[in-house]
Amino acid sequence: MAASSMESFGNETVDEFNPDDCDLPDITKTSLYQNKVILLIYIAQLLLLCFFIITENSIILFAFYKVRKLRQRNNVLICSLSLTDFCTGIILPIQMLGPPSVIDVISFSMLFISVLTILLIAIERFYVLVIMTKRLERDQNRKSAPLIWTCVGLWVGTLALFVPWAMKPYVYILILYTVAPLSVIIVMVGVVCLYIAIFYSIHKMDLQKQSYIGKKDYQRTKIVLRAYGIIVVTFVLCWFPWSFEALRIGVQVYLNVEPNDRQCYYASITACFLLNIGIFNSALNPIIYWKNLPDFREAICSVFSCCPCKCVQEKSIVDEETSSNLRNKPTSLTDLHMEA
């Protein structure tokens, strides 16, 4: 706990809280550390989660590196999200088990990058499927470079924004218990609204889009949207409990108290275990990619030679649909508009 200056008023001595005496968050100064059994359970959960996070996201990132088919514009943001989850799995054990350091701020930055990446995915899908009036023509000409540079800017900008606050630990703790949970809640509400608009647009323009972009592309769009929707729902279920607990701590411990009653770092046992539930999201994302995105499943199978029969079967089905669409698809934009 931070040292406090002393002031004397008559015969009474009053402790004056000094934010400059605070250190970065330290697990040894929490109530969790006082109960060794619960602490061991927490650490075991954390290490197991980090093992799965690192392993699963390593597979996804290796598939991106090896399979050229995955390195397309639609998957750039998924790659960024997977890289964020991978870094989270690497950083968290160092943050929790090591001494207080700037690693804690970097770990928080990974959460912020994840939230903004999910928002970018929703905005990109909304732009393509709702705003663009000539989707087929423009979608073919769009490049990956703008999205890649957007991801780079997001990473660099977020780290540049938050890492300097490691020099002001008390301000960083206030950010952790106010900005972080509010960002998760507000951004996720916005993302849900965007996906509602996207699904409504898809449903409303059902027949038009099938005739305009072809049945195969239309079905693939619905599959990808469903996967993105599952990613959002999973993120909300994993992170909202911690967000509300963090807001409660922020209000009760830091904001709604007298200045001299404040303290440097406080984390309830509930908040610690809810944080593990939030971290669990980073282990679920690769499973969502595998289960709901055929391109990822096929790519991982081709890289690691697992479930070869299933992969071959999926590939043959896709090839059959493709050749069927090529036979029935108009050969010019004029014919395409005539059909629509």
Side-chain angles (χ1 to χ4, degrees), residues 222-240:
K222 291 178 68 174
I223 291 173
V224 171
L225 278 177
R226 183 179 62 185
Y228 290 162
I230 293 173
I231 291 172
V232 172
V233 171
T234 304
F235 190 95
V236 168
L237 292 177
C238 289
W239 280 108
F240 265 37

Side-chain angles (χ1 to χ4, degrees), residues 152-335:
V152 172
L154 176 62
W155 278 70
V156 174
T158 301
L159 291 171
L161 178 63
F162 291 114
V163 168
W165 291 113
M167 305 298 294
K168 294 284 187 179
Y170 185 71
V171 177
Y172 165 68
I173 292 169
L174 289 179
I175 292 174
L176 180 66
Y177 283 124
T178 54
V179 174
L182 282 174
S183 298
V184 171
I185 294 170
I186 293 173
V187 172
M188 286 302 111
V189 169
V191 168
V192 169
C193 291
L194 285 173
Y195 276 109
I196 289 175
I198 293 171
F199 281 111
Y200 176 77
S201 176
I202 291 291
H203 178 73
K204 184 179 178 182
M205 302 177 68
D206 197 354
L207 295 178
Q208 180 183 356
K209 282 190 176 293
Q210 286 192 46
S211 61
Y212 189 66
I213 65 175
K215 185 176 180 180
K216 173 181 172 291
D217 289 340
Y218 177 77
Q219 293 299 329
R220 180 177 292 274
T221 297
K222 291 178 68 174
I223 291 173
V224 171
L225 278 177
R226 183 179 62 185
Y228 290 162
I230 293 173
I231 291 172
V232 172
V233 171
T234 304
F235 190 95
V236 168
L237 292 177
C238 289
W239 280 108
F240 265 37
W242 174 85
S243 298
F244 288 116
E245 175 66 9
L247 276 179
R248 183 193 67 79
I249 292 173
V251 172
Q252 292 185 0
V253 178
Y254 295 99
L255 300 180
N256 195 25
V257 294
E258 295 296 327
N260 287 336
D261 292 334
R262 294 174 183 170
Q263 51 185 302
C264 287
Y265 178 62
Y266 171 83
S268 64
I269 294 178
T270 301
C272 292
F273 279 95
L274 288 179
L275 181 62
N276 273 2
I277 295 176
I279 295 166
F280 184 50
N281 175 75
S282 296
L284 290 176
N285 281 339
I287 299 175
I288 296 172
Y289 309 152
W290 163 267
K291 292 290 291 182
N292 295 278
L293 294 174
D295 287 348
F296 280 83
R297 185 161 57 248
E298 183 180 331
I300 293 172
C301 284
S302 66
V303 170
F304 297 97
S305 300
C306 61
C307 305
C309 295
K310 186 175 181 180
C311 291
V312 171
Q313 182 181 6
E314 287 178 355
K315 191 173 188 305
S316 62
I317 292 174
V318 170
D319 291 341
E320 183 180 346
E321 289 181 351
T322 303
S323 53
S324 174
N325 277 298
L326 287 175
R327 286 193 301 267
N328 300 325
K329 197 169 185 179
T331 57
S332 68
L333 285 176
T334 304
D335 294 334

